[in-house]
Structure formats: structure tokens, C-alpha cells
Amino acid sequence: MMLWIPSQERFDAYTKMEKSGKYTEEELRAFLFEGAYGIRKVIKDEIEKAREEGKNG
């Protein structure tokens, strides 16, 4: 399990967005953890690539 801690700048922007009341909980969560999702996808893609190479190699 990987722990993701957003930057202070990102968290401050999230707080402002939250206080504005213009965004849903889902939109706020997506904004805050956008970087974590990107990292997770890269890791997943690398694992799949290694598995394919293992099958073919």
C-alpha cells in the first residue's frame, strides 16, 4: 500500500475549493489525489509490461 500526501500548495487549493461550495465531494477528492492516481497508473502499467516481457522472454 502506498501513502500519498499532497503538497501543501495542493492542499491549500483544495481547502479554497471546498470552502467555495462550488465543487462536489467527488470533484474535490479527484483534485486532491490526482497525482496519486497518475502514479498508481504508471506502476500498474509497469507491472503489466514486466509480466508480458516475462511471458515472451
Side-chain angles (χ1 to χ4, degrees), residues 20-52:
S20 76
K22 296 179 183 178
Y23 303 92
T24 66
E25 183 70 28
E26 187 175 284
E27 290 171 322
L28 290 168
R29 195 176 307 122
F31 172 78
L32 188 61
F33 294 105
E34 179 179 42
Y37 295 136
I39 290 171
R40 184 174 179 214
K41 177 160 178 22
V42 168
I43 292 170
K44 182 180 174 188
D45 290 349
E46 288 297 316
I47 290 170
E48 289 176 9
K49 182 179 172 184
R51 285 182 182 156
E52 286 299 317

Side-chain angles (χ1 to χ4, degrees), residues 13-23 25 28:
Y14 165 85
T15 303
K16 288 179 185 176
M17 291 169 65
E18 184 179 38
K19 287 180 181 178
S20 76
K22 296 179 183 178
Y23 303 92
E25 183 70 28
L28 290 168

